[in-house]
Amino acid sequence: MKKLINDPRSVVEESVQGFGLAHAGLVTVSTDPTFITRKEAPVNRKVGLVSGGGSGHEPLHAGFVGQGMLDAAVPGAVFTSPTPDQILPATLAVNSGAGVVHIVKNYTGDVLNFETAAELAEAEGVSVRTVLVNDDVAVEDSLYTAGRRGVGGTLLVEKIAGAAAERGDDLESVAGIGERVNANVGTMGVALSACTVPHAGSPSFDLGEDEIEIGIGIHGEPGRHRIPMENADGITERLLEPVLGDLKVQPGDKVLLFVNGMGGTPLSELYIVYRRAAQILADRGAVVERSLVGNYITALEMQGCSISVLRLDDELTELWDAPVHTAALRWGV
Amino acid sequence: MKKLINDPRSVVEESVQGFGLAHAGLVTVSTDPTFITRKEAPVNRKVGLVSGGGSGHEPLHAGFVGQGMLDAAVPGAVFTSPTPDQILPATLAVNSGAGVVHIVKNYTGDVLNFETAAELAEAEGVSVRTVLVNDDVAVEDSLYTAGRRGVGGTLLVEKIAGAAAERGDDLESVAGIGERVNANVGTMGVALSACTVPHAGSPSFDLGEDEIEIGIGIHGEPGRHRIPMENADGITERLLEPVLGDLKVQPGDKVLLFVNGMGGTPLSELYIVYRRAAQILADRGAVVERSLVGNYITALEMQGCSISVLRLDDELTELWDAPVHTAALRWGV
Amino acid sequence: MVLDVVWAVKWLTLCAQAMAEHRVELIELDRAIGDSDHGENMDRGFQAVLDKLAEAAPETPGAALKLTAMTLMSKVGGAAGPLYGTAFLRAAAALGDSAEIEPAAWAGALAAARDGIVARGKAEPGDKTMVDAWTPAAEAARAAAENGGPDVLTVLVAAAEAAEAGAVATDPLMARKGRASYLGERSIGHRDPGAASTALILRAAVGAAA
Amino acid sequence: MVLDVVWAVKWLTLCAQAMAEHRVELIELDRAIGDSDHGENMDRGFQAVLDKLAEAAPETPGAALKLTAMTLMSKVGGAAGPLYGTAFLRAAAALGDSAEIEPAAWAGALAAARDGIVARGKAEPGDKTMVDAWTPAAEAARAAAENGGPDVLTVLVAAAEAAEAGAVATDPLMARKGRASYLGERSIGHRDPGAASTALILRAAVGAAA
Ligand SMILES: Nc1ncnc2c1ncn2[C@@H]1O[C@H](COP(=O)(O)OP(=O)(O)O)[C@@H](O)[C@H]1O
Ligand SMILES: Nc1ncnc2c1ncn2[C@@H]1O[C@H](COP(=O)(O)OP(=O)(O)O)[C@@H](O)[C@H]1O
Ligand SMILES: [Mg+2]
Ligand SMILES: [Mg+2]
Ligand SMILES: [Mg+2]
Ligand SMILES: [Mg+2]
């Protein structure tokens, strides 16, 4: 597996440097420890939003730092959650006194590292509220798992909670909005091929020419099960039905439909998936009020996609529409 | 090669349908023949901008239809230029009376098909000016080739000419701006892997695990030559040097730096390339005033990237900064 | 055997058959020095010609070729669409509305087709394009029509064989036009896909008369 | 042989060596049921421990372990970072500032480490995590310290062997905690990477005393 890198051990550092150079007007990159903050951070009286996680999911999270979304992103090594010594200074850097929300994808590593950082930040007098994102309907939330994973829904939580913070909501309210988004979003993904972690050098799993993995996460891990290859419409049905079942989408429900590429699938194919997903939702009587299609939460160069559905209400729609100015998501400004 | 498609022969149609559904507020999709127009087309008194080419390069061109950029995009079959019977109605649909600019990438097929359509449109009383994009410095423009290809620079021509049209420039002036962009931009690309055209089913070329193709186009064709794999910094130097030589970039020159992904390379790697490219430009005394990093002009799921440099002047910078609202490029609105 | 509209329709039908059969082969040729679409484009185009022929029943060979020209122009795309479109359009014009094609007229139609391709594509013989199949074909047809007298099959065969030889002769050439030219020396050793499809088309003309 | 700070530093040095040597193997284990980073994370973490040890010369075994805890916490990331960080921190606390570790104290430190991991990660034995190596190791050390009297090497060996057996015993288990739990039944038949690295760490403790 060839990669446009210099050294597997400097991938994150160099990539973040490049990101900082390309978006110098928007973000500040801190090194040692590494984190990315919004240029104007801390924003006066605003609740600060910090997210982070393993690298390899770009543009998540650094691409979402800026007006109306995150105040800081904390990138770990590839597919490895960041450490408290990164999360803590990022938290302190964006605290204006109004407190900080940690948006954490539900993985053991992310939870533990953010937990520690939050404790340390509290010890330094910063109020921290954590919003746990666990939208992956492929994983049952039970005694027998580490709980549902945070996947595609993360972007929606970050955007909408970010808009709530930008309009001046207080700590509890921003966290509450984030939790409302998380409670109303479901996601399921598929992989047509594996990805290769730079330091590992070989694909994260082996998949036959006629097999696909259903119910994958975003770390190159295998999915819930493997099935023979199907066409795009068939796969779309397989992904969307469990999501709609989980959310109990009813006729008349207004939704946001988000088709997310895993990195290596052409945009044209994501639109083929979107087409079928929109048809299914229409057949169910749901109204697709907002949509997003693209590579936003990736697993390196994995081929595949995930489908997320978020049930909207007027407030969530308004917050989704609110101006956002980040490297990867921008409108209204 | 697995693909998220239903039938190789319906890829373009279904993808364009999905695109239309996802961006219903922005564009209108016409079928039979297929083309995409800006929702408000024809825009009163505005020069219309039409571009198009083979599919498989998404988001180019449909993703750039909207305010401040294209009025219409005409997608051909995968890697196959569209036909006059698509280009003509698209041209007529966006003509407000102020004339239409065709932005055409320099490939024999694109040139011939747009040429015919322009003739037919002229016969119907529409003034058409063609801007030929040929920014690929890998191909010598000589008696021995079909001339330099249009690649990454196409986006820059479309954005900047689109802004000129939006501010009310007349036909000659919009075309002139487009030509000025083309004259000041150079691009060179690399492939780390080939792509697979849906109807072909096998990769467009075979590349060893330790080889890369230098000087590739965007149609999965092999490049000018094949070399052993190098690291990202080395590859970046190889791509950028010929571009800077071609443009004769001088100390003090202001430039836009555009690192474009071919579709299958993670964004994080594009930033590693951006980092080195920015360093080289800084060493040369050039000032990177604007930048763009992402998958904008792709070759399906090919792994690799291209680097484009555009020499800026105040007017080009102003037009680059002007508001744009399309599916794939949006700011200021 | 006369080259009338029945022959013309049979010819075009055999063309469509040949493109379907050789689709993968033409894709493979284009994969080597182009963008893997030539076989798909030609197959799509000639299938559309079949559909058109089923709708409209052309009354002369010229009308059949004109309909083919318009259909290829609007369905093939790429470089081949306009080039073949022009070729068939010029051939149709050369044939006018005569009901039957004499050997000399056929040779003239091929020459007109070839000239149309050159006028549009600006390629010269030796540039490794379809011109390298059309040029010897037109030449051979002219020679056969002059020497061979009234036997039209001889003329068709001469053109087909010359096109085939012309296509093979593109193998060692370095491309100077079209997408293959980007490859420079790397285009050497591969057959030009457009020359190969030209040979199929002219071979189908023989089959329709046999 | 006494378990003093010289031993502790040697132990940590051997840990770093073991992680570098088994880096690929741990990545492979994690590739099968996780995300291919465990070997990389542990290698990075223990290399950083080496750097720290070179800078600061800890004066007691407890101080060495505390420094290790802080370094792992800030350099490893993922699930393993906080868990191993907690383990070393709790072990350091259990050892206090004594200059030499008695067999019973070592057993106590292992038990504290194990309890720390459970407190943070909430895994139970049988969940197919590093707990499945730490639990039998702490247990075996306690038993050996009680029975074997003052021979510290016996205790170290007992712990290492139990950890190794515990790691092997994770093979048939279905994961219920950590990333492997997403795989459900597909996690069966693979060794838990964290249990494997635990065994390496406790084996290094023997090596340092030998
Ligand atoms: N300028 C030209 N003149 C004549 N024939 C050309 C020219 N350019 C390309 N061709 C022919 O077109 C063929 C390629 O057709 P096709 O693959 O369908 O189009 P594209 O190159 O646009 O993908 C080439 O093999 C060659 O025979
Ligand atoms: N809840 C938990 N309790 C105990 N150990 C755990 C828990 N979750 C994960 N682990 C351990 O962590 C190991 C994985 O570490 P690593 O791969 O470095 O982190 P990540 O899973 O975040 O990629 C697993 O093999 C397992 O032994
Ligand atoms: Mg990990
Ligand atoms: Mg083509
Ligand atoms: Mg082609
Ligand atoms: Mg792991």
Side-chain angles (χ1 to χ4, degrees):
Chain A
M1 177 74 209
K2 283 164 282 185
K3 291 184 172 283
L4 270 172
I5 63 175
N6 293 306
D7 175 344
R9 300 208 164 161
S10 64
V11 162
V12 174
E13 183 191 330
E14 291 178 1
S15 177
V16 168
Q17 280 175 12
F19 183 83
L21 289 169
H23 307 290
L26 208 54
V27 299
T28 304
V29 168
S30 300
T31 46
D32 212 5
T34 301
F35 58 93
I36 294 108
T37 46
R38 176 174 167 182
K39 201 86 204 171
E40 316 84 61
V43 179
N44 214 356
R45 283 174 220 265
K46 195 182 86 68
V47 170
L49 256 73
V50 177
S51 192
S55 291
H57 309 302
E58 292 69 26
L60 186 82
H61 300 269
F64 303 138
V65 172
Q67 181 189 338
M69 214 158 164
L70 298 179
D71 293 276
V74 190
V78 174
F79 293 170
T80 301
S81 33
T83 58
D85 70 319
Q86 298 172 266
I87 305 167
L88 175 63
T91 303
L92 300 180
V94 305
N95 177 44
S96 68
V100 174
V101 171
H102 283 177
I103 298 176
V104 181
K105 303 194 292 305
N106 187 35
Y107 299 97
T108 307
D110 294 68
V111 169
L112 294 180
N113 285 288
F114 271 93
E115 203 172 84
T116 303
E119 266 176 49
L120 296 169
E122 295 274 359
E124 303 211 19
V126 180
S127 303
V128 177
R129 273 282 266 116
T130 298
V131 174
L132 209 61
V133 185
N134 64 347
D135 56 316
D136 185 1
V137 305
V139 175
E140 284 152 69
D141 187 10
S142 71
L143 274 179
Y144 306 110
T145 68
R148 288 165 49 148
R149 297 174 283 212
V151 285
T154 312
L155 178 150
L156 309 178
V157 173
E158 293 180 357
K159 166 65 184 86
I160 292 175
E166 200 77 38
R167 77 175 171 190
D169 282 19
D170 67 14
L171 185 60
E172 273 312 306
S173 159
V174 171
I177 292 272
E179 278 157 1
R180 197 158 102 221
V181 174
N182 183 56
N184 283 285
V185 62
T187 299
M188 183 130 157
V190 64
L192 274 60
S193 72
C195 54
T196 299
V197 178
H199 63 245
S202 52
S204 57
F205 51 82
D206 305 304
L207 206 52
E209 216 1 84
D210 48 2
E211 294 174 321
I212 57 178
E213 285 278 342
I214 294 281
I216 50 134
I218 54 174
H219 296 83
E221 63 269 54
R224 292 298 284 182
H225 54 280
R226 186 169 286 197
I227 61 165
M229 178 65 188
E230 291 185 352
N231 70 13
D233 284 358
I235 290 171
T236 304
E237 286 151 27
R238 256 180 212 281
L239 297 184
L240 188 53
E241 291 301 342
V243 171
L244 298 181
D246 183 78
L247 287 179
K248 303 196 178 53
V249 168
Q250 305 294 327
D253 278 1
K254 296 172 181 170
V255 300
L256 182 155
L257 174 56
F258 172 26
V259 175
N260 175 57
M262 288 292 153
T265 285
L267 193 53
S268 49
E269 297 178 21
L270 300 182
Y271 280 112
I272 292 177
V273 170
Y274 183 92
R275 170 183 170 275
R276 181 69 194 126
Q279 287 170 350
I280 294 171
L281 282 162
D283 290 348
R284 293 265 195 136
V287 186
V288 179
E289 295 243 306
R290 295 293 181 275
S291 62
L292 188 68
V293 182
N295 291 287
Y296 291 105
I297 302 184
T298 60
L300 296 170
E301 70 288 331
M302 179 181 271
Q303 290 181 323
C305 71
S306 66
I307 305 182
S308 300
V309 175
L310 168 66
R311 194 198 326 267
L312 291 168
D313 56 40
D314 290 347
E315 187 183 22
L316 295 187
T317 305
E318 190 188 312
L319 291 169
W320 175 256
D321 289 344
V324 59
H325 182 179
T326 69
L329 214 62
R330 181 169 176 182
W331 55 75
V333 58
Chain B
M1 177 75 210
K2 285 164 280 184
K3 291 184 172 283
L4 271 173
I5 63 175
N6 292 305
D7 175 345
R9 298 208 166 161
S10 64
V11 162
V12 174
E13 183 191 331
E14 291 178 2
S15 176
V16 168
Q17 279 174 14
F19 183 83
L21 288 168
H23 307 291
L26 208 55
V27 299
T28 305
V29 167
S30 301
T31 46
D32 213 5
T34 301
F35 58 94
I36 294 108
T37 45
R38 177 174 167 183
K39 201 86 204 168
E40 317 84 58
V43 179
N44 214 356
R45 283 174 219 264
K46 196 183 83 70
V47 170
L49 256 72
V50 177
S51 192
S55 291
H57 309 302
E58 291 69 25
L60 185 85
H61 299 270
F64 302 137
V65 172
Q67 181 190 336
M69 216 161 161
L70 298 179
D71 293 274
V74 190
V78 174
F79 293 170
T80 301
S81 32
T83 57
D85 71 320
Q86 297 172 267
I87 304 167
L88 176 63
T91 303
L92 300 180
V94 306
N95 178 43
S96 68
V100 175
V101 171
H102 282 176
I103 297 176
V104 182
K105 302 195 292 306
N106 188 36
Y107 299 97
T108 308
D110 293 68
V111 170
L112 295 180
N113 284 288
F114 270 93
E115 201 172 83
T116 304
E119 265 175 48
L120 295 169
E122 294 274 1
E124 302 211 20
V126 180
S127 303
V128 177
R129 275 281 265 118
T130 298
V131 174
L132 208 61
V133 185
N134 63 348
D135 56 316
D136 185 0
V137 305
V139 175
E140 284 150 71
D141 187 11
S142 71
L143 273 177
Y144 306 110
T145 69
R148 288 164 50 146
R149 297 173 284 213
V151 285
T154 312
L155 177 151
L156 308 178
V157 173
E158 293 179 359
K159 166 66 184 86
I160 293 176
E166 201 77 38
R167 77 175 170 190
D169 283 18
D170 67 14
L171 184 59
E172 273 312 308
S173 157
V174 172
I177 292 272
E179 279 157 1
R180 199 159 98 220
V181 174
N182 183 57
N184 284 285
V185 63
T187 300
M188 183 130 162
V190 64
L192 272 60
S193 72
C195 54
T196 300
V197 178
H199 62 245
S202 53
S204 57
F205 51 82
D206 305 306
L207 206 52
E209 215 3 82
D210 48 2
E211 294 174 322
I212 56 177
E213 286 277 342
I214 294 281
I216 50 134
I218 55 174
H219 296 85
E221 62 268 52
R224 293 296 286 183
H225 55 277
R226 186 169 286 196
I227 61 165
M229 178 65 187
E230 292 185 352
N231 70 13
D233 284 357
I235 291 171
T236 303
E237 287 152 28
R238 257 180 211 281
L239 297 184
L240 188 53
E241 291 299 343
V243 171
L244 298 182
D246 184 78
L247 286 180
K248 303 193 179 54
V249 168
Q250 305 293 328
D253 278 1
K254 295 172 182 171
V255 301
L256 182 156
L257 174 57
F258 172 26
V259 175
N260 175 58
M262 289 291 154
T265 285
L267 193 53
S268 49
E269 297 179 20
L270 300 182
Y271 280 113
I272 292 176
V273 170
Y274 182 92
R275 170 182 169 276
R276 181 69 194 126
Q279 286 171 349
I280 295 171
L281 282 162
D283 289 348
R284 292 264 196 137
V287 187
V288 179
E289 295 245 306
R290 296 293 181 272
S291 62
L292 189 69
V293 182
N295 291 286
Y296 291 103
I297 302 185
T298 61
L300 296 169
E301 70 287 334
M302 178 180 273
Q303 290 181 322
C305 71
S306 66
I307 304 181
S308 300
V309 175
L310 168 66
R311 194 197 326 267
L312 291 168
D313 56 40
D314 289 348
E315 188 183 22
L316 295 187
T317 305
E318 189 188 313
L319 291 168
W320 175 256
D321 289 344
V324 59
H325 183 180
T326 68
L329 213 61
R330 182 169 176 184
W331 55 74
V333 59
Chain C
M1 180 68 220
V2 289
L3 303 189
D4 55 9
V5 70
V6 174
W7 166 82
V9 169
K10 188 159 175 213
W11 174 32
L12 297 166
T13 309
L14 290 181
C15 283
Q17 241 172 53
M19 294 308 151
E21 267 166 33
H22 295 267
R23 181 179 154 277
V24 173
E25 181 188 321
L26 294 174
I27 287 175
E28 281 303 305
L29 291 180
D30 199 27
R31 187 171 96 92
I33 55 171
D35 57 353
S36 314
D37 62 353
H38 189 61
E40 182 72 14
N41 296 346
M42 296 302 289
D43 183 26
R44 183 178 58 243
F46 272 100
Q47 290 309 315
V49 169
L50 281 195
D51 294 347
K52 286 284 175 200
L53 286 173
E55 283 168 28
E59 300 197 340
T60 60
L65 298 203
K66 185 165 180 209
L67 181 147
T68 301
M70 302 313 289
T71 308
L72 294 181
M73 202 85 95
S74 78
K75 292 295 174 198
V76 174
L83 293 171
Y84 276 121
T86 302
F88 276 90
L89 203 60
R90 295 284 181 97
L95 295 177
D97 48 16
S98 50
E100 294 186 5
I101 310 172
E102 299 301 316
W106 176 243
L110 290 187
R114 184 239 171 240
D115 291 348
I117 291 168
V118 170
R120 294 237 48 188
K122 311 275 184 310
E124 289 172 18
D127 283 354
K128 196 179 184 113
T129 69
M130 58 173 71
V131 169
D132 294 325
W134 283 99
T135 302
E139 192 51 43
R142 191 190 54 72
E146 274 174 12
N147 306 335
D151 179 13
V152 73
L153 196 59
T154 319
V155 182
L156 294 176
V157 169
E161 285 178 352
E164 282 158 359
V168 171
T170 64
D171 289 10
L173 298 177
M174 180 164 106
R176 287 192 293 215
K177 279 279 181 279
R179 197 176 294 283
S181 71
Y182 305 137
L183 294 187
E185 306 213 322
R186 297 176 80 184
S187 65
I188 292 173
H190 299 277
R191 186 155 309 166
D192 178 64
S197 59
T198 297
L200 293 174
I201 288 171
L202 295 182
R203 175 55 65 189
V206 177
Chain D
M1 179 69 221
V2 288
L3 302 190
D4 54 9
V5 70
V6 175
W7 166 81
V9 170
K10 187 159 178 213
W11 173 33
L12 298 166
T13 308
L14 290 181
C15 283
Q17 239 172 57
M19 295 307 152
E21 265 165 34
H22 295 267
R23 183 180 152 274
V24 172
E25 181 187 323
L26 294 174
I27 287 175
E28 281 303 303
L29 291 180
D30 199 26
R31 186 171 97 92
I33 55 171
D35 56 354
S36 313
D37 61 354
H38 188 60
E40 181 73 12
N41 296 345
M42 296 302 288
D43 183 27
R44 182 179 57 243
F46 272 101
Q47 290 308 317
V49 170
L50 282 194
D51 294 347
K52 286 284 175 200
L53 286 173
E55 282 167 29
E59 301 197 341
T60 59
L65 299 202
K66 185 166 179 207
L67 181 148
T68 301
M70 302 314 289
T71 307
L72 295 181
M73 201 87 95
S74 78
K75 293 296 175 197
V76 174
L83 293 171
Y84 275 121
T86 301
F88 278 90
L89 202 60
R90 296 285 182 97
L95 295 177
D97 49 16
S98 50
E100 293 185 9
I101 310 172
E102 297 303 313
W106 176 244
L110 290 187
R114 184 242 171 235
D115 291 348
I117 292 169
V118 170
R120 295 235 49 187
K122 311 277 184 308
E124 289 173 18
D127 283 353
K128 196 177 182 118
T129 69
M130 59 173 71
V131 169
D132 294 326
W134 283 100
T135 302
E139 193 52 44
R142 190 190 52 74
E146 275 173 14
N147 306 333
D151 179 13
V152 72
L153 194 61
T154 319
V155 182
L156 293 176
V157 168
E161 284 178 355
E164 282 158 1
V168 171
T170 64
D171 291 8
L173 298 176
M174 180 163 107
R176 287 190 293 214
K177 279 281 180 282
R179 197 176 293 283
S181 72
Y182 305 137
L183 295 186
E185 307 212 322
R186 298 176 80 185
S187 66
I188 292 172
H190 299 276
R191 186 155 311 166
D192 178 63
S197 58
T198 297
L200 292 174
I201 288 170
L202 295 183
R203 174 56 65 189
V206 177

